[in-house]
Amino acid sequence: MNEQTDSVRDRTRMPRKPLWYALITGLAAVLAFAFTVVSPTAPALSAAAPVRIMPLGDSITAGPGCWRALLWNQLRTAGYSNIDFVGSASDGGSCNYGFSYDADHEGHGGFSAVGIADNNQLPPWLNAADPDIVVMHLGTNDLWGGWQSMDTIMAAFTKLVGQMRANNPDMKIVVAQIIPHHGCETCPADAVTFNNRIPGWAAGLTTARSPIVVVDQWTGFNAATDTNDGVHPVESGFRKMANRFYPALAQLLGGVVPTPGTTTPPGTPTTPPGTPTTPPAGGGCTATYRVTNQWTGGFQAEVSVRNGRSTATTGWTATFTFGGGQQVSQAWNATVTQTGATVTARNVSWNGGLPAGGSTTFGFLASGTGGSAPAVTCTVS
């Protein structure tokens, strides 16, 4: 009986391996793991996540809101490829420009800042989209009928900013001074009042960690030609909106917080405060140049062109020459060309007609340093 049991034990006992066999087997497993980790065909251990940008607003953003498509294309064309427009809504690619774009957004027709804030609708949108940057054109619907006070509207804006920062303490927030609003009797004047409140409000809330950047969408926007109903943009209006948002987004994506500029809504062409009713005799065209922001390797500048004649213009041209090898990369509110060091800017279709004493402004991004301001000459026709 014992001999039979021992025989069974011998047959079922695993054969013993020599020590050298175990060592070789272990070493092979380690090498296999090592080659798996460092294999040149393996994906990178980490890759920069795309910057998530949420367009937030009402029907001007939602339907069709083609400024978003144009802005997306401008950013991608300029080399900002690692971006992702986010939001719970999509226009389904309905802006037919011949290029593909990210159609996601958080625009909702008929919504107001006060309504979104009072109903706490923003936090779930933020939780779902997880944006790094919010681009907001909001407030148009708050002005209908003039029944809400400006303090109520600005309090709603403040609450929305708080909710953004609760979602992401490093949120970058781009807030628009809205396009002209001619949807009701009181709307035009209320839009001016609202837009004049935005810069001071933003200055009081902005922080180094979570800056609020104000973008002037009013100046240069003509409700008669850039909307179909005094409220909602047509093609020319969408292009103006994209052109205004682009510099702020480009700088934020480059790690630079734009310096707030001085805005004077309403609009374009503008008449500077203190401009005499009758321009000085013999006046033609004058232009001023200023650097509005600069960073390592680049800067932003703007040029103001003023009609010094006693009659309106039909067009203008401004010229200046860089002295340090600077190169213009992007421009808005003018058609800008550069030959060597000489830069020539010509009006676009909507800002060539300057009244007597009126002025308009164009801006650009350039490589190099801002340096000393070049002299600008201009002519009008």
Side-chain angles (χ1 to χ4, degrees):
M1 187 73 179
N2 289 339
E3 290 180 359
Q4 183 177 4
T5 303
D6 290 342
S7 176
V8 170
R9 286 174 179 172
D10 288 341
R11 288 195 301 269
T12 58
R13 183 181 297 132
M14 292 292 293
R16 295 193 178 191
K17 302 290 185 183
L19 179 60
W20 60 266
Y21 182 90
L23 291 174
I24 291 175
T25 303
L27 179 60
V30 171
L31 289 174
F33 173 79
F35 279 110
T36 300
V37 171
V38 302
S39 169
T41 60
L45 293 178
S46 63
V51 179
R52 300 171 66 82
I53 302 170
M54 175 192 278
L56 173 64
D58 45 43
S59 58
I60 294 170
T61 297
C66 290
W67 64 264
R68 295 178 287 99
L70 294 165
L71 178 60
W72 167 269
N73 190 56
Q74 285 189 51
L75 291 169
R76 298 278 293 189
T77 301
Y80 300 101
S81 58
N82 200 28
I83 57 174
D84 182 13
F85 279 17
V86 295
S88 63
S90 173
D91 64 35
S94 60
C95 299
N96 297 313
Y97 290 118
F99 54 78
S100 60
Y101 63 93
D102 192 333
D104 296 332
H105 63 88
E106 205 64 74
H108 300 273
F111 281 39
S112 66
V114 172
I116 294 171
D118 286 352
N119 294 311
N120 291 312
Q121 291 169 298
L122 183 58
W125 296 342
L126 294 169
N127 291 336
D130 193 24
D132 303 295
I133 301 173
V134 172
V135 180
M136 183 164 64
H137 188 285
L138 190 62
T140 300
N141 290 321
D142 294 272
L143 304 180
W144 288 99
W147 61 274
Q148 291 189 125
S149 71
M150 287 297 159
D151 287 344
T152 299
I153 298 171
M154 299 317 299
F157 270 60
T158 300
K159 181 176 179 179
L160 296 179
V161 167
Q163 292 174 336
M164 293 176 197
R165 289 172 173 168
N167 175 266
N168 178 2
D170 298 306
M171 188 78 78
K172 309 299 186 291
I173 306 164
V174 179
V175 178
Q177 291 172 293
I178 62 173
I179 64 175
H181 186 352
H182 290 258
C184 67
E185 183 177 354
T186 58
C187 288
D190 284 347
V192 174
T193 303
F194 170 76
N195 281 342
N196 281 328
R197 291 282 296 268
I198 290 293
W201 165 84
L205 284 180
T206 193
T207 67
R209 185 173 182 182
S210 176
I212 301 175
V213 179
V214 176
V215 171
D216 178 9
Q217 289 288 358
W218 178 290
T219 303
F221 200 100
N222 187 332
T225 58
D226 295 328
T227 73
N228 58 15
D229 56 3
V231 180
H232 298 93
V234 293
E235 172 66 12
S236 61
F238 285 137
R239 290 192 178 277
K240 290 177 182 179
M241 291 184 69
N243 290 342
R244 285 301 178 91
F245 276 133
Y246 170 78
L249 264 295
Q251 290 185 57
L252 287 175
L253 291 170
V256 176
V257 178
T259 300
T262 301
T263 56
T264 55
T268 220
T270 58
T271 302
T275 298
T277 304
T278 302
C285 179
T286 58
T288 58
Y289 177 109
R290 74 183 185 102
V291 173
T292 58
N293 198 9
Q294 56 184 326
W295 54 93
T296 302
F299 65 97
Q300 178 179 340
E302 67 178 24
V303 176
S304 295
V305 177
R306 178 176 177 269
N307 174 22
R309 303 192 313 185
S310 58
T311 58
T313 69
T314 57
W316 51 264
T317 301
T319 304
F320 57 90
T321 301
F322 284 132
Q326 298 91 336
Q327 289 288 321
V328 174
S329 57
Q330 297 287 331
W332 53 96
N333 300 339
T335 300
V336 176
T337 58
Q338 182 171 354
T339 303
T342 301
V343 178
T344 302
R346 294 180 173 83
N347 63 276
V348 289
S349 60
W350 50 269
N351 66 356
L354 302 178
S359 65
T360 190
T361 300
F362 69 90
F364 61 88
L365 301 178
S367 62
T369 59
S372 57
V376 185
T377 60
C378 63
T379 59
V380 293
S381 57

